[in-house]
């Protein structure tokens, strides 16, 4: 008898913008946005990561977000803890000029499992 595969982890990646971003001169944020979109492209392509959805609250929140409420969120199903770590590590490896993305933004992963769907929705 074969063992059933482990269900994926449900992960909420919480992303905040650091004060360093807001300290950039006017117009200097484009390079950070380019780094951020590069990170998103790589996140979508990571093996074992299935992005389910995103939320960006930058229209209703201005200024740094060091904790909740975060600036944006990515909800994903992720195969295992090493894949969660690889996703977070993108903030170290994606370059923004001479710095890593982590200089301007931070990430925190909340890991759990999906709630059961109510019977009425099936």
């Amino acid at each position: 008898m074969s063992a059933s595969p482990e269900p994926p982890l449900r992960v909420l990646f919480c992303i905040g913008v650091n004060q360093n971003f807001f300290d950039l001169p006017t117009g200097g944020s484009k390079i950070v946005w380019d780094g951020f979109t590069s990170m998103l492209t790589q996140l979508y392509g990571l093996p074992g990561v299935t992005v389910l959805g995103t939320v960006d609250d930058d229209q209703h929140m201005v200024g740094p977000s060091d904790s909740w409420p975060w600036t944006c969120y990515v909800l994903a199903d992720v195969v295992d803890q090493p894949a969660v770590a690889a996703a977070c590590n993108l903030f170290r490896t994606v370059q923004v000029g001479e710095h890593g993305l982590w200089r301007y933004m931070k990430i925190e992963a909340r890991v759990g499992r999906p709630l059961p769907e109510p019977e009425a929705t099936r």
Side-chain angles (χ1 to χ4, degrees):
M1 179 188 306
S2 65
S4 60
E6 288 292 317
L9 304 170
R10 181 65 49 94
V11 181
L12 182 64
F13 294 101
C14 307
I15 300 168
V17 178
N18 297 331
Q19 183 62 45
N20 289 335
F21 175 84
F22 295 98
D23 291 340
L24 290 169
T26 301
S29 61
K30 183 181 181 327
I31 190 170
V32 178
W33 179 250
D34 291 345
F36 182 73
T37 56
S38 172
M39 180 281 302
L40 279 178
T41 299
Q42 292 178 55
L43 177 65
Y44 272 79
L46 273 178
V49 175
T50 302
V51 174
L52 303 174
T54 62
V55 175
D56 187 0
D57 195 20
D58 70 329
Q59 292 183 336
H60 302 107
M61 178 181 192
V62 178
S65 53
D66 296 324
S67 65
W68 187 91
W70 299 95
T71 304
C72 60
Y73 303 85
V74 176
L75 182 64
D77 279 343
V78 182
V79 68
D80 56 23
Q81 294 285 348
V84 175
C88 291
N89 196 52
L90 291 172
F91 280 70
R92 293 184 184 98
T93 59
V94 170
Q95 286 297 116
V96 174
E98 60 188 38
H99 303 287
L101 181 59
W102 62 267
R103 179 179 179 93
Y104 303 102
M105 305 180 96
K106 63 191 294 180
I107 188 168
E108 179 179 308
R110 311 302 298 170
V111 180
R113 62 180 185 264
L115 291 168
E117 291 183 34
E119 290 294 323
T121 63
R122 292 184 192 175

